Amino acid sequence: MNAESAVLGPTTLVRSRLADLMLAAAPHAPCLLSAPTGFGRTTALRQAAARAGPESAQLVSVAADDPGAWVRLRRRLEDARGEGRIRYVLVDCDGVASSSEAEEARAALIEDVAIWSGLIMSSQESLDEVTLRFPGSILLDRSDLAFTDEEAHAVLELLAPGSPQAPEVARIIDLSEGWVAPLVLAASRLRRVSEGPARTEAVARWLGQHGAEVAVAPWWRSLTSAQQAFLRETAMLDRLDAPACDVVRDADDSQQLLRSITRSEGLLCRDVTTDATPRWRRHRLLTAALASRGGGGSRSERLEAHQRVAEHYVERGEVESAIFHLIEAGRYQEAGEQLRDVEVHLITTGQAELALTWYSDLPPTTWASSTEHELRIGWASLWGGDTTMVRQCLARLEAWLVSSIAAELEAAQRAAVRGEVQLLSACLAGAMADTAGMIAAARSAVAAFGDDYTANSHQLAPVVVARGLLWEGRTEEA
């Protein structure tokens, strides 16, 4: 019995939501489960069979690439149908149906069984083509099988009693992305690491390094040497699409390799894109494992590849991907120019944090110019009613004002930024009906700006003071 079955058996963590979903769907259409090893497909079938009861459910296992196995299974099920006692047929596929004969035999079984009984089939293979052949079928993929945060914490508690509470293990749960295999590894590590404030941090760090290798190994071994080489060569890409992979590899067969890798459900998941180019995202632990395997080549090779693919994305107008690779290539000036172009879009689409992440990736010498962008994000957030984001922007700006970087600037430059920060703070106070705070901050802004009224904000500051005074009924002062 593997660790997954031990943890998720019906006597421990019963995932009733998943079992109920399959049992409710199967009588109406073939229900297909498609996910990588370690996501709990087999255990989900076992729990669904147990929930349905032995009198109405038959659970069978079949070698996916053996046409004869499918034929024999079909005959067995026909016999069971003749007895009139089977309502659900749950099929656990071992391996991938790579031959056309096996695919046809499987399709014949699905077509036959689905008309008289609730079929639930589990496979590590991507079943998109099966769902196209049977349009009424219901596909549950890794996102449906993924463990919720609550379930993930329950696994840690079951295997490592006394584990820290959910907020403390959030990093571990994030790394797992709903995959139970790394949760089992993390729980094992938690049992061995002594109690202390850095316990979960140490386990998360271990999982992102050594644990990633262990978790990824079974899937990695199922790949061909060409597929493994492809993933190592493209490890420096944040997303995988065929044109970008071709640029990085200086090759023209990336589309075929991506198709062959994604034929089996694994650690690449389809990314939602706005164009027609299919794109995939790696599981976080696969990215970590590739890094430990020297993915992407030497540092100079990675820099050169980042430069090539950055130019590729700039030409295609995919600004966000271009910025990522420009920063990785050390071309900070160009990254900043691209970021200015896309900043408004990021703010208006609720992605201000992404812009700030990129700013933080720029070297300290460029930080000063980023304060104006932080201010714009703060103002946009204020107009949008996101007061939490405004406070976060103000906190970062206040920290910058006392940093060594700010200390190196001229006094007039520091005063200008301080005035902008105080003005934003004043308007936030006004939005929160804190007129006293509004007046005090706006007066500080006026003092910081001095006699310079060339900028709009410099003109706005005394107006904000007057508005606050009017709200307090201090008309003469206003």
Side-chain angles (χ1 to χ4, degrees), residues 114-388:
I115 64 173
W116 61 267
S117 183
L119 175 65
I120 304 174
M121 180 180 294
S122 164
S123 175
Q124 70 184 66
E125 183 178 357
S126 175
L127 297 175
D128 290 338
E129 293 182 8
V130 177
T131 58
L132 289 174
R133 185 161 181 173
F134 300 95
S137 57
I138 299 166
L139 178 62
L140 302 180
D141 59 18
R142 58 188 292 175
S143 62
D144 300 295
L145 287 164
F147 282 58
T148 64
D149 288 357
E150 183 180 356
E151 290 171 337
H153 187 258
V155 170
L156 295 176
E157 184 61 36
L158 281 167
L159 280 182
S163 294
Q165 295 303 305
E168 297 179 62
V169 294
R171 175 62 179 153
I172 295 173
I173 292 174
D174 286 345
L175 280 170
S176 75
E177 292 189 54
W179 185 18
V180 71
L183 289 173
V184 173
L185 291 171
S188 175
R189 193 72 179 178
L190 280 169
R191 290 199 303 269
R192 293 198 294 270
V193 176
S194 58
E195 297 283 350
R199 180 189 182 196
T200 54
E201 182 182 343
V203 172
R205 187 166 55 252
W206 174 87
L207 183 61
Q209 297 171 357
H210 309 292
E213 283 277 348
V214 178
V216 168
W219 179 74
W220 184 261
R221 287 194 296 267
S222 72
L223 302 176
T224 66
S225 58
Q227 292 169 337
Q228 292 176 356
F230 170 83
L231 290 172
R232 280 194 294 265
E233 291 167 351
T234 57
M236 38 72 67
L237 289 170
D238 60 333
R239 296 289 190 273
L240 301 180
D241 64 72
C245 291
D246 280 344
V247 169
V248 170
R249 300 172 57 242
D250 192 21
D252 61 1
D253 60 345
S254 297
Q255 183 171 346
Q256 291 88 339
L257 281 164
L258 275 170
R259 281 178 178 171
S260 68
I261 293 172
T262 56
R263 177 178 173 80
S264 294
E265 282 289 346
L267 300 181
L268 299 183
C269 61
R270 186 71 175 265
D271 191 24
V272 178
T273 58
T274 55
D275 56 27
T277 304
R279 188 170 296 176
W280 285 268
R281 179 183 68 80
R282 288 183 296 269
H283 192 285
R284 291 186 181 99
L285 291 179
L286 174 57
T287 298
L290 286 170
S292 69
R293 294 169 185 263
S298 65
R299 185 176 185 277
S300 60
E301 289 172 333
R302 290 197 301 272
L303 285 175
E304 184 182 349
H306 278 300
Q307 291 181 31
R308 291 201 309 271
V309 79
E311 292 168 0
H312 163 77
Y313 280 126
V314 169
E315 291 175 2
R316 288 170 60 96
E318 298 185 33
V319 179
E320 294 179 27
S321 292
I323 291 171
F324 171 84
H325 290 287
L326 285 169
I327 290 175
E328 292 296 317
R331 293 161 62 175
Y332 302 117
Q333 184 66 33
E334 295 170 73
E337 292 170 0
Q338 293 286 334
L339 183 48
R340 281 193 294 273
D341 291 340
V342 77
E343 184 188 55
V344 172
H345 168 72
L346 292 174
I347 292 173
T348 55
T349 56
Q351 301 180 78
E353 286 286 358
L354 179 57
L356 294 177
T357 298
W358 279 329
Y359 286 134
S360 68
D361 288 339
L362 297 174
T365 53
T366 63
W367 228 108
S369 63
S370 72
T371 55
E372 63 177 276
H373 302 286
E374 181 94 59
L375 283 163
R376 291 219 294 270
I377 290 171
W379 281 109
S381 301
L382 182 64
W383 297 331
D386 188 351
T387 57
T388 299

